[in-house]
Amino acid sequence: EVRRVLAPGGRLLVVTPNGDLERWLDLAERLRLKLPEGPHRFLGFRELAALAGPGLRLLEHRRFLLFPAGPPRLVAAVDRLAGGRAGRGLFQHALFEKTGRAAP
């Protein structure tokens, strides 16, 4: 649906739990360290990129613990202070851009 309604050059930002660490997310939920989400299936990066499909080009993908965006040094510092390591976060964001030409 996004590919249909997004104009060429338009961007889509997706922020989601990092499905590549699903067992840790499930454990955090069982230990009541995060809000229960009910029945769900977390998406790993490859599945997220595959769902974007043709017509959307990946511009950026990053995993993070707590702080999703901002100057890279600040983001890394916040994640380190929270006990995470860059690229190992419980969450991820992906920025896509619709390819193709704009209508005249």
Side-chain angles (χ1 to χ4, degrees):
E1 183 65 13
V2 170
R3 282 191 307 271
R4 184 181 70 77
V5 300
L6 199 62
R11 293 184 174 181
L12 166 69
L13 177 66
V14 178
V15 179
T16 181
N18 179 5
D20 296 325
L21 299 177
E22 185 169 7
R23 82 177 78 167
W24 294 106
L25 293 164
D26 288 339
L27 177 63
E29 192 169 290
R30 284 195 304 277
L31 295 174
R32 300 179 193 266
L33 298 174
K34 67 183 224 25
L35 292 174
E37 300 170 18
H40 53 270
R41 184 175 58 83
F42 296 113
L43 300 176
F45 170 68
R46 288 182 185 181
E47 190 173 7
L48 179 63
L51 285 173
L56 289 176
R57 177 174 55 109
L58 178 67
L59 298 177
E60 177 180 310
H61 175 259
R62 193 173 74 76
R63 294 175 178 100
F64 60 95
L65 184 61
L66 295 174
F67 206 61
R73 294 177 85 184
L74 175 62
V75 170
V78 170
D79 275 357
R80 275 194 309 275
L81 287 173
R85 290 186 292 161
R88 296 280 192 194
L90 293 176
F91 301 94
Q92 64 183 331
H93 81 239
L95 179 62
F96 298 95
E97 181 176 70
K98 185 171 181 180
T99 58
R101 297 182 183 200

